[in-house]
Amino acid sequence: MDDATTETEAEALLAVLERNRRTFAWKTDGLDETGLRAVTAASTMTLGGLIAHMALVETDWLAVKVAGQGYGPPWEGIDFDAEPDWEWRFGAQAAPDDVYALWRAAVQRSRGLMDAVVAERGLAGPSSFTWPDGRTPTVRRMLLDMIEEYARHTGHADLLREAVDGRVGEGAPPDFSF
């Protein structure tokens, strides 16, 4: 029997999120400082900045807004009012190992937290924050928003990576892992 027909909705959503993470990882993997700092066209976006941005999004949306946890390092020590683009600058200037480690740690944390949140609250359960209009999004809505965020930024990574070294393709090869 095909696993895709027997999975739960939560398993399906988490699998799509994981597939998007994997593709993003492949699109941004293995670059040196030059590759992570390359700028193309009229944009100042870099692959390194994009990786650090996704680390912040993982933390802000899934750890903080869904699971109700604190930001943790390095985010808790940053004054985003004074430095609103901190993650973009960090990602464009830090050593590649530090940029990759930041994102991988955020993904690992999110995986564990989402497993626990889905088991405890289910997809229809509430997130741990309220929008300014007073509504509280469900865990499902936040997972869907996270999938959308990866899809958008994987498109950016696709364009940037092709400009850096010509890597193209819709998905990571079967033997790729991160």
Side-chain angles (χ1 to χ4, degrees):
M1 187 180 298
D2 183 5
D3 286 343
T5 61
T6 60
E7 65 190 355
T8 66
E9 181 186 8
E11 290 168 336
L13 288 173
L14 291 170
V16 170
L17 176 56
E18 200 58 36
R19 184 177 69 237
N20 276 270
R21 284 176 176 148
R22 187 171 179 273
T23 302
F24 181 81
W26 177 64
K27 290 292 181 179
T28 60
D29 184 60
L31 293 169
D32 61 11
E33 289 178 3
T34 301
L36 287 178
R37 295 175 181 173
V39 176
T40 64
S43 175
T44 60
M45 186 182 292
T46 65
L47 285 164
L50 198 54
I51 294 165
H53 174 70
M54 289 309 299
L56 176 58
V57 172
E58 286 272 357
T59 302
D60 184 48
W61 291 15
L62 299 183
V64 175
K65 291 179 177 166
V66 174
Q69 302 287 310
Y71 281 91
W75 315 113
E76 63 196 8
I78 298 164
D79 180 356
F80 282 102
D81 289 332
E83 300 183 74
D85 294 327
W86 181 90
E87 79 273 22
W88 293 96
R89 192 177 64 262
F90 170 83
Q93 296 173 352
D97 287 347
D98 294 339
V99 176
Y100 288 123
L102 180 69
W103 179 71
R104 288 184 178 119
V107 168
Q108 273 307 111
R109 182 181 182 201
S110 292
R111 285 176 178 148
L113 289 171
M114 290 313 301
D115 287 346
V117 166
V118 169
E120 177 186 315
R121 301 181 207 167
L123 293 175
S127 292
S128 295
F129 84 107
T130 302
W131 283 318
D133 66 5
R135 294 177 300 135
T136 298
T138 63
V139 172
R140 176 185 294 106
R141 171 65 185 264
M142 294 302 291
L143 280 173
L144 289 167
D145 285 352
M146 191 72 195
I147 290 166
E148 177 188 21
E149 187 77 2
Y150 266 106
R152 176 184 314 115
H153 288 314
T154 298
H156 293 130
D158 195 30
L159 292 170
L160 292 168
R161 184 62 185 253
E162 183 175 3
V164 167
D165 66 5
R167 178 180 281 182
V168 295
E170 290 189 28
D175 62 342
F176 177 80
S177 62
F178 72 102

